[in-house]
Amino acid sequence: MSLGAVLGFDVGAKRIGVAVGNGITGTASELGLIEVRDGIPDWARFEKLLKEWAPVQLIVGDPLTFDDDDPDPPARQRARGFARAAAKRSGLPVVMVDERRSSKEAARRFADQRRAGIKRRSHAEEIDALAAVVIVERWLAGGNDPT
């Protein structure tokens, strides 16, 4: 594990949630979204985030499935493709982290924040950024436990 900043990504078909993690404090925070149009991420936004946060490593959620019949579904192909392109564009090491149930955990956190008055329903797309937080936190904790 690194002690510098890391950027984490929850790759989706329409948008990519982004979070920043700190290896010293072991915490992660939402940074927002990278839009995806026609299968192509907004690489300018990606580059801006790299410049702003100067990460030492990238963490990409690996959408593994519990279904052994399809070990490489489209979502996993998309995440791996993003990871390869991000590594090439950034020159940084990329780690894939098991993201199973990260969306459910993100939805639960979002609901908790809505109840606390921190978030509103109109912020629902930010669940993707919260999923990236979960992914980074898992990596910072040193585990890929999907529970």
Side-chain angles (χ1 to χ4, degrees):
M1 182 180 320
S2 161
L3 292 181
V6 298
L7 289 182
F9 303 91
D10 177 51
V11 180
K14 295 182 181 179
R15 58 190 162 261
I16 299 168
V18 186
V20 63
N22 182 315
I24 295 170
T25 63
T27 60
S29 304
E30 302 167 54
L31 288 182
L33 303 170
I34 294 175
E35 295 298 325
V36 177
R37 288 193 175 76
D38 298 322
I40 301 169
D42 180 353
W43 290 113
R45 170 91 170 118
F46 175 81
E47 299 288 338
K48 183 178 178 188
L49 290 166
L50 288 179
K51 233 180 221 183
E52 185 176 345
W53 292 97
V56 296
Q57 188 158 1
L58 306 178
I59 313 299
V60 176
D62 189 357
L64 297 167
T65 67
F66 292 108
D67 179 8
D68 291 336
D69 293 336
D70 188 6
D72 201 24
R76 192 162 194 217
Q77 293 172 23
R78 190 171 34 254
R80 286 180 165 178
F82 175 81
R84 282 190 301 272
K88 187 174 180 179
R89 286 176 174 270
S90 68
L92 295 170
V94 176
V95 173
M96 300 290 290
V97 172
D98 185 346
E99 73 167 37
R100 286 180 284 190
R101 296 192 183 117
S102 63
S103 293
K104 286 184 182 181
E105 172 64 15
R108 185 196 61 74
R109 290 182 188 192
F110 182 78
D112 290 347
Q113 290 175 352
R114 282 194 61 217
R115 277 191 292 280
I118 298 167
K119 299 273 187 188
R120 295 197 313 240
R121 183 172 296 176
S122 62
H123 298 138
E125 67 183 15
E126 294 175 19
I127 288 175
D128 295 318
L130 276 173
V133 168
V134 172
I135 291 163
V136 172
E137 287 174 348
R138 284 183 185 170
W139 181 79
L140 288 169
N144 286 329
D145 182 2
T147 58

